Each structure stands twice: as structure tokens, then as C-alpha cells.
Amino acid sequence: MNDAPAWIAVDWGTSSLRVWLMDAQGGVIRRHDSDQGMSRLGRADYEPALLDLVGDALPDGTSVPVLVCGMAGSRQGWAEAAYAATPCKPPALSQATRVTTADPRLDVRILPGIKQDRPADVMRGEESQIAGVFARHPDFDGVVCLPGTHCKWVQVSAGEVVSFRTFMTGEIFALLSRHSVLRHSVDDGWDDDAFAESVAHALSRPAGLAADLFTLRAEGLLHGLSPANAHARLSGLLIGLELAGARPYWLGQQVMVVGATGIARAYSNALAAQGLSPLQTDAEDITLAGLTAAFTAHRETTS
Amino acid sequence: MNDAPAWIAVDWGTSSLRVWLMDAQGGVIRRHDSDQGMSRLGRADYEPALLDLVGDALPDGTSVPVLVCGMAGSRQGWAEAAYAATPCKPPALSQATRVTTADPRLDVRILPGIKQDRPADVMRGEESQIAGVFARHPDFDGVVCLPGTHCKWVQVSAGEVVSFRTFMTGEIFALLSRHSVLRHSVDDGWDDDAFAESVAHALSRPAGLAADLFTLRAEGLLHGLSPANAHARLSGLLIGLELAGARPYWLGQQVMVVGATGIARAYSNALAAQGLSPLQTDAEDITLAGLTAAFTAHRETTS
């Protein structure tokens, strides 16, 4: 069967599912995006959700390897994959947890996340993006910044994850902009200057955050602050607070920001304003490169 | 009619409505609590909601003064009552906005809130609690701390509101504990020591907030942090951040905390740990004293 995948790469996060059907030469046969993330699924829903996307491509009489990273490996996910502990290399297929499936055409393995003992921290999925950074930039030593709902700052050296810290900035932003009194003050607009000024403000005065946030509401009521400006300032205050807290990670370091658009671009701009020249890399490319590296590492050690 | 009120005091907030029927000697005939706060009401709903509680006590052929403070005076409320501007005394009845009612037995006036130009800030309702502090403690000069969804720190002197700052701490706490990933990590339990340690931690390292919050989740996953401990630490981190930002308000000042239980007690404990001896005062008593002062001030100037 000409189009049968050699293996399938899966990034299964909290809110999304991304699948790549791979050929034997490392090329992508086809890819799928889906909203069937962990938060929508019970344990029994994972196999049907996957078969929905790839079932038509699975040949009978054999099983296709499926390598999964992300929250599908959490306790509330498809099957719990134990964490590797820092300092460590990003986990490879040989460390993955086998999942029993009803369909014999699937051979599913879930990659471990990485944990850190003190300060306590965990990642699931980002370790595969780190593996992708190593695959694409073999000489990179420094700090990888992975913006998102829970932004991670990861110190890497010699192909290992040395230490990391997770900041809940993205989730706090979403809660404040959609569910707090500030929802009346913001819209989807943006203002680069307002963002930059608020980053600088929060970096120098992080303790005032909860008051500076209310100022956005009050300036809207009293001085007609525009919703676009308020939106950019809300983001700037929260990212500025994060940069103040993450300063040991980026000060004087080579930083690579994963992602080149949207919020990742905002992080890059904020770091540039602090005199850094952050590298940028495409998030999807890095993720697939990392899953490929994890899959290939296994083949090299077992073939 | 023996039980007819001389006037009616109303504290109409975002989520609650409190009404006191007053006799001519300043005594309370009866009181009502209701969940009919501004967030549940359209403009046309206010008069029926009030009549529901007090209609039976209103005599025919005359109109009873009703003095309202709080969010009912906001643009989205019953009728907009313009703000007084700092520095100013808490507004009195003579500055209140008259509301036309369908029922002739009501003579409703809504007290203004107070605004501050720079940094932009607003209050609605707290100004009446400040009036109550002045009524109960005529010699008090210092800082009034009013914990709540939006905690206010108010510098008062010689019977005036000099300046104030609002911190969204309570709203952030509610969003994080109910709607973020931390909802899996906390319950309703409490731990005084964990609270105190987290206040101290955030006071000395406020910039790390967004990472310290995720640590609660990770410690739960990795080290079995108890939900009660996580709950107290979540509160402590946020109040510690606020105390760091509000330091100019409380450092070396006489502070009066409005409220003696729940979150107000937590603020008092946190301030005491910083070497202060905050005064405490009952929130309801202060509110009614403030509305009474506003009502009485009018009578003195017009009689």
C-alpha cells in the first residue's frame, strides 16, 4: 500500500491534537489538526479520536508505530507516562509508555514528560520541542523560551535540560481578559508602544501588578483608555512581570523563542527591548523534529 | 404607623444588596440581605428589587428617603452618580443623584463614588465605609485597608480621602482557585503557617508570582502538597504581592482593616507579621455608620 505511513507522530495537548503521518524517509504524508485535546476526552475516547483521523491510512495485518507527546501522558490522559528527571536528555522512544489498543493496527507509545524536584516543576510536550531545538540547532546552548498558556523557560546545555521554570502568564491573561472586570475594558486590538511601555513598567515595578491591572479599568472609565490599548497593556504588564521573575534565565543568555507569530513575537519584542537578540524558531517544525528525533534515536539503538 | 421607617439605608454592590430600615433616632427597625446585586439587574429591576424588601413598610401618602451607596450608582447600575474627586470628604446626601421612581412612596438618592485622576482609580461604596470610619473614630488619621474582590488602600487625613489604590487581588484569587489549572490543587482548607510563609515569600520576591503559582500545581503532582496548604499558599502569594505593591501605603502608618473575619483577618495577620498593629473594625457597622453620617450631614445643612 503506497500511502501507508511508516510511523505516526502525535502532539496531544490540553486543548488540541496534531497528527503527522510520516513516510520512511522522514517526510510528511499528511497532517491533521483537531480540537480533541485532553480536556475534552475521557480515557476511552483517545483511541477513537486517533482512528478518526488516521484509521483510513492504516494497513491491515501489521501495526504502525505511533509516538505521542504531551498531556495525553498525564494522569488524567490516555495513559500515565512517568516523568524523566532533570538534568536529562529529552526522552526517546525507548523510554515511552506502551498503550494497549483495541485496534491491532496501532502500536502506541507515549513519551514521558520531564520533572524538576526543586523548585517543583513539570513539562509534558515541551520536552519534545526541546528535542527539536537540539535536532535543528545541534550547537545551541542557552535558554529556550516556550510561550503559551504556561510559558516555560528552559536552560539547556550539551543536549540536556538542566533546569526550567513554568509561568502561568498565558492562563492568567486569558482569565483576566475574558472573565474579570477587565473584560469590559479590552478588545482584540493591539498597540505595540503600549505593550512595550507596560513591559518596561512591570519589569521595574513588578509588585504593583494587581493595582496596575485595575488602573486599566479606571483609565477606561475616567480617561477613555481604548480597548486595544488596554489589551496590549494587560499583556505587557503580565509579560513584564514574568520577565522580571525569569530574569535569571535570560539575563546575559542566548535565548531561543519557540514560535514566530502572535504571543511568541510579543515575547521576542519584549526581550529585544531589554537588549537581547533572541533567536526564533517555528513551533510546529520544532515539535515534529523533536518527535522524529525521539523516534529515530530508538531505531538507532535497537537496529 | 408605628413601624414606618424614618429613612432607608442601602448598600447596593455588584453581587449583594443590603438594606436597613431606620427609625428617627438612628436605630435599625429591621435589615435585609439579598443576592440581588448589580450584576443580576437591569436598570428596570432596581425599584422592584427594593420594593420586594421594603414595600410593606412604606406608608401611603408620603415618601420615605432612601439613601444608596455602591455600584447601583455606576453607569451600568440604577442611575449614574458622578464621582467626587480626591482629595475630598466622603460625599453626603446633598451630593447624591435623585432617581425617579414609579412608586411615589420612595425618594431615592444615590451617593457618588470617589475618583482619583492619577493614578486613575475609582471606588463606589467604600467611600461610605470611610465615612463610617470617620464617624466611629473621629481622630483617625492613617490608612484604611478594605479587603474584598477589589481591595482598596485609602490614605485619609483630617476627614478627607487623600489618595487610594485598588488591587484586584480578590478577583485574581477567585479566578485562579476556581477556573485555572490550580482548581485541581486547592480545596477549602487552610494553613496559617503556609499562608504566612507565602506572604513573606511574595513580599521579598514579588516578580516570581506566575512561577510560584505553578509551583503549587507541580508540588501537588510531585510531592503531594495538600489542597489546604495549596489554598493558603495561593492566598498568601497574592496578598504578599499586594502588600509589596501597597508598601508605600502601610509602611510606618497606622492601618485600620475594615472587617474582622475571613479575608480581612488574613490581611490583619499579614500586616501584623510585618510588625504593624492594625486596628480592626466591623464592616457592616462601618457601612451603616457611614450612610447615617451622609444622611445626617444633609439634615444638618438643610434644617
Side-chain angles (χ1 to χ4, degrees), chain A residues 71 75-76 83 115-122 150 152 165-169 171-172 175-176 179-183 206-215 217-223 241-242 244-246, chain B residues 71 75-76 83 115-122 150 152 165-169 171-172 175-176 179-183 206-215 217-223 241-242 244-246:
Chain A
M71 291 300 287
R75 204 167 298 169
Q76 292 81 33
Y83 297 103
K115 69 177 176 181
Q116 173 174 278
D117 202 39
R118 307 264 170 218
D121 215 327
V122 291
H150 295 159
K152 314 246 178 212
R165 283 290 260 162
T166 303
F167 291 73
M168 288 182 60
T169 306
E171 186 165 16
I172 297 171
L175 289 171
L176 288 172
H179 300 293
S180 83
V181 69
L182 298 181
R183 70 187 184 279
L209 178 79
D212 291 330
L213 291 173
F214 192 76
T215 300
R217 173 71 177 151
E219 283 199 18
L221 291 170
L222 301 182
H223 305 317
L241 178 74
E242 175 176 331
Chain B
M71 291 299 287
R75 206 167 298 169
Q76 291 82 32
Y83 295 105
K115 69 177 177 183
Q116 173 176 277
D117 201 42
R118 306 264 170 221
D121 216 326
V122 290
H150 296 160
K152 313 240 175 216
R165 282 290 261 162
T166 302
F167 292 74
M168 288 181 61
T169 306
E171 186 165 15
I172 297 171
L175 289 171
L176 287 172
H179 300 293
S180 82
V181 69
L182 298 181
R183 70 187 183 278
L209 178 80
D212 292 329
L213 291 173
F214 192 77
T215 301
R217 173 70 176 152
E219 284 199 18
L221 291 170
L222 300 182
H223 305 318
L241 177 73
E242 175 175 332

Side-chain angles (χ1 to χ4, degrees), chain A residues 64-121:
Chain A
V64 173
V66 178
L67 186 57
V68 180
C69 74
M71 291 300 287
S74 69
R75 204 167 298 169
Q76 292 81 33
W78 194 352
E80 187 170 8
Y83 297 103
T86 56
C88 62
K89 292 186 186 305
L93 179 54
S94 57
Q95 296 160 266
T97 294
R98 177 84 193 274
V99 184
T100 306
T101 56
D103 191 317
R105 299 174 300 163
L106 294 170
D107 174 16
V108 175
R109 319 271 173 145
I110 304 182
L111 284 168
I114 295 180
K115 69 177 176 181
Q116 173 174 278
D117 202 39
R118 307 264 170 218
D121 215 327

Side-chain angles (χ1 to χ4, degrees), chain A residues 6 12-13 45-46 76 88 91 113 117 121-122 145 147 153 178 193-194 217 248 257 263 269 283 296-297 299:
Chain A
W12 212 318
D45 303 324
Y46 284 84
Q76 292 81 33
C88 62
D117 202 39
D121 215 327
V122 291
C145 170
W153 293 82
R178 290 178 208 156
D193 291 340
R217 173 71 177 151
V257 177
I263 195 62
N269 289 347
T296 309
R299 288 200 303 188

Side-chain angles (χ1 to χ4, degrees), chain A residues 4-9 22-27 63-67 91-96 107 109 111 288-303:
Chain A
W7 68 288
I8 297 173
M22 306 297 293
D23 66 27
Q25 287 72 47
S63 68
V64 173
V66 178
L67 186 57
L93 179 54
S94 57
Q95 296 160 266
D107 174 16
R109 319 271 173 145
L111 284 168
L288 182 56
L291 283 164
T292 301
F295 186 71
T296 309
H298 174 75
R299 288 200 303 188
E300 283 169 358
T301 56
T302 59
S303 65

